Amino acid sequence: METKVIFSNDSAGLKAAGEIIKNGGLVVFPTETVYGIGADGLNEIAIKNIYIAKGRPSDNPLILHTNSIEKAEKIGYINSIAKKIFETFSPGPVTVVVKKKDIVPLAATGGLDTVAIRIPSSETARALIEYSGAYIAAPSANISGRPSPTTAAHVIEDLSGRVDMIIDGGDADIGIESTVIDTTGENPVILRPGKITLPDLQKLFPDATAEKHMKENTEGYKPKSPGMKYKHYAPKAKVIVFEGDAELKIKAELETIQKNGKKAAVFCRASSKYSADFAVKWQDSADMARLLFSTLREFDKMGADVILCEAPDNDAMGESVRNRLYKSAGYDIR
Ligand code: TXA
Ligand code: MG
């Protein structure tokens, strides 16, 4: 399949992208979080093609993207909790899990009786939803297991030849995926953390909670969000995360790596100083979120054998970054 690449300011191109979705094709588009690989979420064949293009296990459900609460009500039962979350945080980086309506094929929900719905704020995403007239099913536009894409170049690396079109909208603003919130119980539960954090949610619902993210690869652990159980965000290099006072530990590790003739990269605070082969520095947790996935991919390209990361701060956004970073490291935390 030949993949056409267009820019997000090409309005004729965006209309053509809408037609591709209408006709059951695959279009990668930017959102404020990460790039998504989109198809008509009510078309079973189109949905199956998303799973094939990504190499994704079919029991891992998709998010359906739309542009209003009224439209969300056509595919899911929007209870008062879900409604309040949409009204407060949408359009934006939040996904709400509700009981699904019959119109949503089980192929999109991994066989679950719930559906995840998101109303993105990205202008390009909204234009595509508008032009296609569809509920756009869109997982992150990476090959399953790889870091999520935050630029069109990442998408081209992973999916060129596997999708009909890629819309280049530059760098993603947020850099980590949306906060997924389950609203089917008595109190909302964050299944996947993101820019919208537990303290944000607790301003609306004091009894809101978050699924504990794994600090290690626990056998038999069954998260409510099926996606959380798979290997994730892994670059080719080995990743190690250093918590707490990291300086001496990282310096010692660097010496060992370099003595063995291997190349080491560090991903650390702006104030830290290491003599690594490659380094990317971050200012705070939001900056770290923006840089994380692109840095992992960059270090791979540069030929790093090991990537040493200072853990984020202990603020709420830092927790969301930590969730991805631990997985990238396969829980090698020191
Ligand atoms: O920011 C984002 O959410 C991006 C952009 C493209 O919108 N999309 C994204 O999709 O990250 P994906 O498929 O990579 O992640 C969706 C997550 C998975 O962890 C999945 O298991 C969970 O949402 N999910 C989807 N439907 C669900 C459901 N019905 N119940 C529980 N979890 C669900
Ligand atoms: Mg993903």
Side-chain angles (χ1 to χ4, degrees):
M1 174 190 299
E2 206 192 313
T3 302
K4 192 170 170 147
V5 180
I6 66 159
F7 288 102
S8 54
N9 61 3
D10 170 0
S11 58
L14 289 179
K15 281 185 192 140
E19 289 300 314
I20 293 173
I21 300 265
K22 264 189 202 165
N23 294 324
L26 301 181
V27 175
V28 173
F29 61 101
T31 82
E32 65 276 23
T33 55
V34 299
Y35 279 70
I37 167 170
D40 180 349
L42 304 185
N43 174 338
E44 257 182 77
I45 295 167
I47 293 164
K48 291 205 170 119
N49 284 332
I50 292 184
Y51 285 94
I52 293 169
K54 261 189 79 94
R56 177 175 176 129
S58 62
D59 68 341
N60 191 1
L62 305 176
I63 296 171
L64 266 52
H65 297 69
T66 188
N67 54 10
S68 71
I69 300 177
E70 293 67 44
K71 280 200 188 152
E73 279 171 334
K74 299 222 158 66
I75 54 171
Y77 294 93
I78 310 297
N79 62 25
S80 61
I81 297 176
K83 189 153 193 189
K84 199 160 171 188
I85 294 171
F86 275 131
E87 282 170 353
T88 310
F89 300 116
S90 292
V94 72
T95 295
V96 181
V97 174
V98 298
K99 289 273 176 231
K100 82 173 193 71
K101 292 199 169 164
D102 288 342
I103 181 177
V104 179
L106 289 168
T109 67
L112 298 174
D113 65 353
T114 53
V115 60
I117 308 176
R118 172 154 124 76
I119 302 175
S121 60
S122 150
E123 290 292 328
T124 308
R126 296 179 72 80
L128 191 61
I129 291 165
E130 189 67 41
Y131 289 138
S132 65
Y135 292 94
I136 301 184
S140 51
N142 50 286
I143 293 284
S144 210
R146 301 252 300 141
S148 296
T150 58
T151 70
H154 299 161
V155 176
I156 292 168
E157 255 168 41
D158 278 18
L159 295 177
S160 196
R162 293 170 168 255
V163 296
D164 296 292
M165 186 183 268
I166 296 171
I167 305 172
D168 184 345
D171 293 354
D173 282 344
I174 297 172
I176 57 172
E177 309 87 339
S178 64
T179 306
V180 178
I181 308 176
D182 180 13
T183 64
T184 60
E186 200 177 321
N187 296 301
V189 181
I190 294 184
L191 304 181
R192 179 177 72 181
K195 176 157 192 236
I196 306 301
T197 63
L198 184 59
D200 295 331
L201 187 60
Q202 284 175 334
K203 282 182 201 142
L204 303 181
F205 304 98
D207 294 328
T209 55
E211 274 235 306
K212 262 219 173 75
H213 68 252
M214 291 187 286
K215 301 266 179 203
E216 55 192 53
N217 227 341
T218 324
E219 280 292 320
Y221 172 82
K222 266 215 188 80
K224 262 198 171 168
S225 180
M228 303 306 264
K229 71 175 182 265
Y230 296 107
K231 183 172 140 89
H232 253 91
Y233 312 127
K236 294 177 195 109
K238 176 176 176 51
V239 179
I240 308 172
V241 182
F242 294 84
E243 285 285 356
D245 204 352
E247 191 182 337
L248 292 179
K249 289 185 275 184
I250 291 185
K251 282 189 171 154
E253 193 63 35
L254 277 172
E255 262 186 44
T256 313
I257 295 166
Q258 288 163 337
K259 223 186 278 161
N260 291 330
K262 304 270 188 204
K263 291 216 179 319
V266 293
F267 185 42
C268 63
R269 288 187 167 68
S271 57
S272 299
K273 286 201 177 70
Y274 297 106
S275 59
D277 297 285
F278 320 106
V280 170
K281 299 187 171 192
W282 41 267
Q283 302 284 345
D284 57 19
S285 299
D287 196 35
M288 195 175 181
R290 267 189 299 276
L291 292 171
L292 175 65
F293 293 140
S294 64
T295 299
L296 296 177
R297 284 177 183 258
E298 270 318 298
F299 285 159
D300 263 352
K301 268 197 234 137
M302 292 168 171
D305 297 295
V306 188
I307 302 172
L308 308 178
C309 302
E310 286 184 352
D313 293 329
N314 292 314
D315 50 25
M317 186 62 164
E319 277 306 303
S320 301
V321 176
R322 191 172 262 106
N323 171 281
R324 275 73 178 182
L325 194 58
Y326 279 10
K327 287 181 192 164
S328 303
Y331 305 93
D332 190 344
I333 304 149
R334 302 188 187 173

Coordinates of all heavy atoms in Angstrom, one line a residue, residues 21 24-27 36-41 43-56 62-64 136-140 142 159 162-163:
I21 N -11.5 7.8 5.4 CA -12.1 7.2 6.6 C -13.5 6.7 6.3 O -13.9 5.5 6.6 CB -12.2 8.2 7.8 CG1 -10.8 8.7 8.2 CG2 -13.0 7.6 9.0 CD1 -10.1 8.0 9.3
G24 N -13.7 3.4 4.7 CA -13.1 2.2 5.4 C -11.6 2.2 5.5 O -11.0 1.2 5.9
G25 N -10.9 3.2 5.0 CA -9.4 3.2 5.0 C -8.8 3.7 6.4 O -9.6 4.0 7.3
L26 N -7.5 3.7 6.4 CA -6.7 4.1 7.6 C -6.0 5.4 7.4 O -5.3 5.6 6.4 CB -5.7 3.0 7.9 CG -6.2 1.6 8.2 CD1 -5.0 0.7 8.5 CD2 -7.2 1.6 9.3
V27 N -6.2 6.4 8.3 CA -5.6 7.7 8.3 C -4.9 7.9 9.6 O -5.6 7.9 10.6 CB -6.5 8.8 8.0 CG1 -5.8 10.2 8.0 CG2 -7.2 8.6 6.6
G36 N -2.6 9.3 16.3 CA -3.5 8.1 16.3 C -3.7 7.6 15.0 O -3.6 8.3 14.0
I37 N -3.9 6.2 14.9 CA -4.2 5.6 13.6 C -5.7 5.4 13.5 O -6.2 4.6 14.3 CB -3.4 4.3 13.4 CG1 -3.9 3.5 12.2 CG2 -3.3 3.4 14.6 CD1 -3.0 2.3 11.8
G38 N -6.3 6.2 12.7 CA -7.8 6.3 12.7 C -8.5 5.5 11.6 O -8.0 5.4 10.5
A39 N -9.7 5.0 12.0 CA -10.6 4.4 11.0 C -12.0 4.5 11.5 O -12.2 4.9 12.7 CB -10.2 2.9 10.8
D40 N -13.0 4.2 10.6 CA -14.4 4.3 11.0 C -14.7 3.3 12.2 O -14.6 2.1 11.9 CB -15.3 4.0 9.8 CG -16.7 4.1 10.1 OD1 -17.1 4.1 11.3 OD2 -17.5 4.0 9.2
G41 N -15.0 3.8 13.3 CA -15.1 3.0 14.5 C -16.4 2.1 14.5 O -16.6 1.3 15.4
N43 N -17.3 0.5 11.7 CA -17.1 -0.4 10.5 C -16.1 -1.5 10.9 O -14.9 -1.3 11.1 CB -16.5 0.4 9.3 CG -16.1 -0.4 8.1 OD1 -15.8 -1.6 8.2 ND2 -16.0 0.2 7.0
E44 N -16.6 -2.7 11.0 CA -15.8 -3.8 11.6 C -14.6 -4.2 10.8 O -13.5 -4.5 11.4 CB -16.7 -5.1 11.7 CG -17.2 -5.4 13.1 CD -18.0 -6.6 13.2 OE1 -17.4 -7.7 13.2 OE2 -19.2 -6.5 13.3
I45 N -14.7 -4.1 9.5 CA -13.5 -4.4 8.6 C -12.4 -3.4 8.8 O -11.3 -3.7 9.0 CB -14.0 -4.5 7.2 CG1 -14.9 -5.7 7.0 CG2 -12.7 -4.7 6.3 CD1 -15.6 -5.8 5.7
A46 N -12.9 -2.1 8.9 CA -11.9 -1.0 9.1 C -11.2 -1.2 10.4 O -10.0 -1.0 10.5 CB -12.6 0.3 9.0
I47 N -12.0 -1.6 11.4 CA -11.4 -1.8 12.8 C -10.4 -2.9 12.7 O -9.2 -2.8 13.3 CB -12.5 -2.1 13.8 CG1 -13.4 -0.9 14.0 CG2 -11.9 -2.6 15.1 CD1 -14.7 -1.3 14.6
K48 N -10.7 -4.0 12.1 CA -9.8 -5.1 12.0 C -8.5 -4.7 11.3 O -7.4 -5.1 11.7 CB -10.4 -6.3 11.3 CG -11.5 -6.9 12.1 CD -11.8 -8.3 11.8 CE -12.8 -8.9 12.9 NZ -14.1 -9.3 12.3
N49 N -8.6 -3.8 10.3 CA -7.4 -3.4 9.7 C -6.5 -2.5 10.6 O -5.3 -2.5 10.4 CB -7.8 -2.6 8.4 CG -8.2 -3.6 7.3 OD1 -7.7 -4.7 7.2 ND2 -9.1 -3.1 6.4
I50 N -7.1 -1.8 11.5 CA -6.2 -1.1 12.5 C -5.4 -2.1 13.3 O -4.2 -1.9 13.4 CB -7.1 -0.3 13.5 CG1 -7.8 0.9 12.9 CG2 -6.2 0.2 14.7 CD1 -8.6 1.7 13.9
Y51 N -6.0 -3.2 13.8 CA -5.3 -4.2 14.5 C -4.1 -4.8 13.7 O -3.0 -5.0 14.2 CB -6.2 -5.2 15.1 CG -7.1 -4.8 16.2 CD1 -8.4 -4.3 16.0 CD2 -6.6 -4.8 17.5 CE1 -9.1 -3.8 17.1 CE2 -7.4 -4.4 18.6 CZ -8.7 -3.9 18.4 OH -9.4 -3.5 19.4
I52 N -4.4 -5.0 12.4 CA -3.4 -5.6 11.6 C -2.3 -4.7 11.4 O -1.1 -5.0 11.5 CB -4.0 -6.0 10.2 CG1 -5.0 -7.2 10.4 CG2 -2.9 -6.5 9.2 CD1 -5.9 -7.5 9.2
A53 N -2.6 -3.4 11.1 CA -1.5 -2.4 10.8 C -0.6 -2.2 12.0 O 0.6 -2.0 11.8 CB -2.2 -1.1 10.4
K54 N -1.2 -2.2 13.2 CA -0.4 -2.0 14.4 C 0.3 -3.3 14.9 O 1.1 -3.2 15.8 CB -1.3 -1.5 15.5 CG -1.4 -0.1 15.7 CD -2.2 0.3 17.0 CE -1.5 0.0 18.3 NZ -0.8 1.2 18.8
G55 N -0.2 -4.4 14.5 CA 0.2 -5.7 15.1 C -0.3 -5.8 16.5 O 0.4 -6.2 17.5
R56 N -1.5 -5.3 16.8 CA -2.1 -5.2 18.1 C -2.9 -6.4 18.5 O -3.8 -6.8 17.7 CB -2.9 -3.9 18.2 CG -3.6 -3.7 19.6 CD -4.2 -2.3 19.5 NE -5.0 -1.9 20.7 CZ -4.8 -0.8 21.3 NH1 -3.9 0.1 20.9 NH2 -5.6 -0.5 22.3
L62 N -10.3 -0.2 21.6 CA -9.9 1.1 21.0 C -10.7 2.2 21.6 O -11.8 2.0 22.2 CB -10.2 1.0 19.5 CG -9.6 -0.1 18.7 CD1 -10.0 -0.1 17.3 CD2 -8.0 0.0 18.8
I63 N -10.2 3.5 21.4 CA -10.9 4.7 21.8 C -11.7 5.2 20.6 O -11.1 5.3 19.5 CB -9.9 5.7 22.3 CG1 -9.2 5.2 23.6 CG2 -10.6 7.1 22.6 CD1 -8.0 6.1 24.0
L64 N -12.9 5.6 20.8 CA -13.7 6.2 19.7 C -13.7 7.7 19.9 O -14.0 8.2 21.0 CB -15.1 5.7 19.7 CG -15.4 4.5 18.7 CD1 -14.4 3.4 18.9 CD2 -16.8 4.0 18.8
I136 N -14.3 8.1 15.1 CA -13.0 7.6 14.6 C -12.3 6.8 15.7 O -11.9 7.3 16.8 CB -12.0 8.7 14.2 CG1 -12.7 9.5 13.0 CG2 -10.7 8.2 13.7 CD1 -11.9 10.6 12.4
A137 N -12.2 5.5 15.4 CA -11.4 4.6 16.4 C -10.0 4.9 16.1 O -9.5 4.8 15.0 CB -11.8 3.1 16.0
A138 N -9.2 5.2 17.2 CA -7.8 5.5 17.0 C -7.0 5.1 18.2 O -7.0 5.8 19.2 CB -7.6 7.0 16.7
P139 N -6.2 4.1 18.1 CA -5.1 3.8 19.0 C -3.9 4.6 18.7 O -3.8 5.2 17.6 CB -4.9 2.3 18.9 CG -5.1 2.1 17.4 CD -6.2 3.0 17.0
S140 N -2.9 4.7 19.5 CA -1.7 5.4 19.2 C -1.1 4.8 18.0 O -1.1 3.6 17.8 CB -0.7 5.3 20.4 OG -0.6 4.0 20.8
N142 N 1.7 3.7 16.7 CA 2.9 3.0 16.7 C 2.7 1.5 16.4 O 1.6 1.0 16.6 CB 3.6 3.2 18.1 CG 2.6 2.8 19.2 OD1 1.7 3.6 19.5 ND2 2.8 1.7 19.8
L159 N 4.8 3.0 10.4 CA 3.6 2.6 9.7 C 3.6 2.9 8.2 O 2.6 2.6 7.5 CB 2.4 3.2 10.3 CG 2.1 2.8 11.7 CD1 0.9 3.6 12.3 CD2 1.8 1.3 11.8
R162 N 1.7 0.8 5.5 CA 0.6 0.0 6.2 C -0.7 0.8 6.4 O -1.7 0.3 6.9 CB 1.1 -0.3 7.7 CG 2.2 -1.3 7.7 CD 2.8 -1.4 9.1 NE 3.7 -2.5 9.2 CZ 3.4 -3.7 9.8 NH1 2.2 -3.9 10.4 NH2 4.3 -4.7 9.9
V163 N -0.7 2.1 6.0 CA -1.9 3.0 6.1 C -2.0 3.8 4.8 O -1.1 3.9 4.1 CB -1.7 4.0 7.3 CG1 -1.7 3.2 8.7 CG2 -0.5 4.9 7.2

